[in-house]
Amino acid sequence: MTDLAVQLPDDAPHAGPLPGVPRPDFQIVPRAGLPIVAVILAGLVVAIVANKLWPLVFLHVAFGAAWTIMDLFLGFVVGPVMRRLSVPARIELTTRLMPRMVLIMPTVVTVTLAAGWQLGQLMGTVNSSYFLHGWIVASYIVVGCMAIIALGLLAPANVAVLVELRKPRPNPLVIQKLMKRFIYSAGFTGTMQVAILVIMTRIRTG
Amino acid sequence: MSERALPPVTELGMASLALIVAGGIYLVSYLPRQVPLMPAVVLLAASVLLLAVNLFTLSRVKGFAWRRFFEVGKWALLAYVIVAGLIEFALVRDGMGGGPLLVVTLSLLVYAVHVPVLTAFTVAQYE
């Protein structure tokens, strides 16, 4: 998973509030998005219960593509652009984008993996007798590595940056420290997405 | 920013997650064949141990921002319990049962507790 947040310039003050930077009001988890997430997860449950090829392929491919594209685009395109923005512009973008990512990324990841597992059961590709089983196991390992980094480092940093920005006097050093952790994690998961693309296209072509 | 001496909660948490991920990959890699459960059980036990150590060492930190920790942790717990429930549902739906299901269920329990702990800790440590 890759998200974005504020990275302060190297000459940022070492403590105290963000100097003269207005912060828009925002919700860390946008409540308006929760019904949409609920509908998507309900659709996932229906697809798993129905166990039909098309809904499972649709959910796995559509959400998997969204996951990969978001990771690569946010990590390697929007991230570098954001670093060149002024601090107020970065804060504006962060407080509008990152709360949405708090909902979007876990949903996209859950749907991709659950639909993918059910699809593998239906098609028999998760069976150890499948002729490309080694590639399937490789995908488990890559996704496992991404999950550990995303769950342990990236997502907590995402939430922590938002909580810090909601404080009356956000600490620039805290934000900078969390962002350093965040950017390294995002680079790692973005690179892993390239490996997922290689594995999935190899499996698809047989 | 003053740095407080805090236990390595994130590092231990990630190690714990890595252990259950490894156990899960081991189990599903051999499907639909039966495999010895012992390696997965050992990995799960080690993961549970790390979770227990993490909670114990964190509980001994003086002046920790527990209010913020629980404020964030309860919502994160709700979210990850839902995700873990979906995974469990898919596995039960596919006919997994017996020992493998027990190991995976306990692994999901560790996941559903440890990830919110990591999120809540990351937020609360800067209060």
Side-chain angles (χ1 to χ4, degrees), chain A residues 151-185:
Chain A
L151 295 169
L153 293 177
L154 204 145
N158 189 348
V159 175
V161 165
L162 288 171
V163 170
E164 188 64 29
L165 280 170
R166 270 184 69 89
K167 291 177 183 172
R169 293 163 62 89
N171 187 332
L173 269 188
V174 168
I175 295 172
Q176 190 159 20
K177 183 176 180 178
L178 287 166
M179 279 314 300
K180 188 180 284 184
R181 165 174 158 177
F182 189 91
I183 285 167
Y184 282 125
S185 309

Side-chain angles (χ1 to χ4, degrees), chain B residues 23 26-28 30 33-45 96-104:
Chain B
Y26 166 75
L27 283 178
V28 300
Y30 288 94
R33 282 188 285 149
Q34 296 281 348
V35 291
L37 280 179
M38 190 50 72
V41 170
V42 170
L43 289 168
L44 173 62
M96 184 181 273
L101 182 63
L102 181 64
V103 172
V104 171

Side-chain angles (χ1 to χ4, degrees), chain A residues 37-112:
Chain A
V37 172
V39 168
I40 291 171
L41 293 183
L44 172 67
V45 172
V46 170
I48 290 173
V49 171
N51 203 25
K52 301 287 185 195
L53 189 61
W54 181 80
L56 293 172
V57 169
F58 172 77
L59 289 176
H60 182 60
V61 172
F63 282 77
W67 181 9
T68 303
I69 289 165
M70 275 192 280
D71 263 3
L72 292 173
F73 187 73
L74 293 175
F76 296 126
V77 179
V78 180
V81 169
M82 202 171 178
R83 278 200 292 273
R84 296 189 194 97
L85 294 175
S86 65
V87 171
R90 276 182 248 170
I91 290 176
E92 180 86 12
L93 180 59
T94 299
T95 54
R96 294 188 190 283
L97 177 65
M98 283 186 67
R100 288 172 170 81
M101 301 311 291
V102 170
L103 284 183
I104 291 171
M105 289 315 294
T107 307
V108 164
V109 171
T110 302
V111 173
T112 302

Side-chain angles (χ1 to χ4, degrees), chain B residues 85-99:
Chain B
L86 276 171
I87 297 170
E88 178 84 3
F89 164 73
L91 294 173
V92 171
R93 178 78 179 68
D94 290 331
M96 184 181 273

